[in-house]
Amino acid sequence: MESEKDSENKRFLDGMLKKVVVGAGAMAALGVVFVGGKVMIESKNDPEDSTEA
């Protein structure tokens, strides 16, 4: 019975770890998208970037 509980606990912890890793990856991806979008908006509004020659 102890072996069964140990296996059950390991499955639970493995599932939780996967959820945490997926959540952290999603947060990192959203952060990159947010910062990238902000940089693109700022570069469009920046008058110094004009390509007039």
Side-chain angles (χ1 to χ4, degrees):
M1 187 168 170
E2 185 177 335
S3 176
E4 289 177 29
K5 285 294 183 183
D6 184 49
S7 296
E8 181 181 331
N9 186 40
K10 286 180 181 177
R11 282 193 303 271
F12 172 76
L13 291 175
D14 186 43
M16 289 301 293
L17 180 62
K18 286 180 183 176
K19 289 178 183 177
V20 168
V21 168
V22 168
M27 291 301 292
L30 286 173
V32 168
V33 168
F34 177 74
V35 171
K38 193 171 184 177
V39 167
M40 287 179 59
I41 289 171
E42 288 178 1
S43 69
K44 285 183 179 179
N45 294 336
D46 193 6
E48 294 178 9
D49 284 343
S50 65
T51 56
E52 295 177 22

